[in-house]
Amino acid sequence: MLVKEIEATELQSRLQAGEDIVLLDIRSDAEVAQGVLPNSEHLAMHLIPLKMQDLPKDKDVVPYCRSGARSYHACNFLKQQGVDNVLNLRGGIIAWARQGYEIAAPQQIRTGSF
């Protein structure tokens, strides 16, 4: 099953254009404490099976992790469950930071409000 991916540059362009995209930080609490993508929502990876029914169906959902590996597996799992509107952030938050894009303080993260 092919996982759709998005590069940090394309994601930034789409966000700047005002697209309504759900950014889903699936990292651990300790990782989240180091910084997040602005306007992200936190849903630890192990909680995805419990909360996937709450994900919006009408907009793209971009799970991300540190390097893109865990979020790739999360996207693959969601696709297997019939969730087709997920895009993996290729390279994760590392790729985002390498482009010089904003990393927000964790208090700016939303939790489970999709």
Side-chain angles (χ1 to χ4, degrees):
M1 188 170 290
L2 185 65
V3 171
K4 293 182 273 185
E5 294 193 288
I6 188 168
E7 300 287 342
T9 52
E10 182 184 349
L11 178 59
Q12 174 68 358
S13 295
R14 290 179 62 183
L15 291 170
Q16 283 186 328
E19 286 190 47
D20 192 8
I21 297 172
V22 174
L23 301 174
L24 196 59
D25 191 325
I26 66 165
R27 300 174 300 153
S28 69
D29 291 343
E31 290 174 298
V32 168
Q34 298 172 9
V36 299
L37 272 62
N39 300 311
S40 296
E41 300 186 33
H42 182 227
L43 180 63
M45 186 172 179
H46 69 277
L47 296 175
I48 290 173
L50 300 173
K51 298 286 188 175
M52 67 182 185
Q53 74 279 357
D54 297 334
L55 294 173
K57 312 274 188 275
D58 59 342
K59 53 184 122 177
D60 284 338
V61 177
V62 179
Y64 72 90
C65 63
R66 181 178 175 275
S67 67
R70 282 175 286 173
S71 53
Y72 183 93
H73 292 294
C75 287
N76 192 44
F77 169 77
L78 288 166
K79 285 190 68 73
Q80 289 173 351
Q81 304 306 310
V83 181
D84 290 325
N85 58 325
V86 291
L87 299 165
N88 182 45
L89 176 57
R90 185 189 306 254
I93 197 170
I94 292 173
W96 181 266
R98 282 189 180 145
Q99 291 295 324
Y101 301 141
E102 180 184 358
I103 302 292
Q107 64 264 26
Q108 294 177 344
I109 197 167
R110 303 176 303 195
T111 304
S113 57
F114 307 120

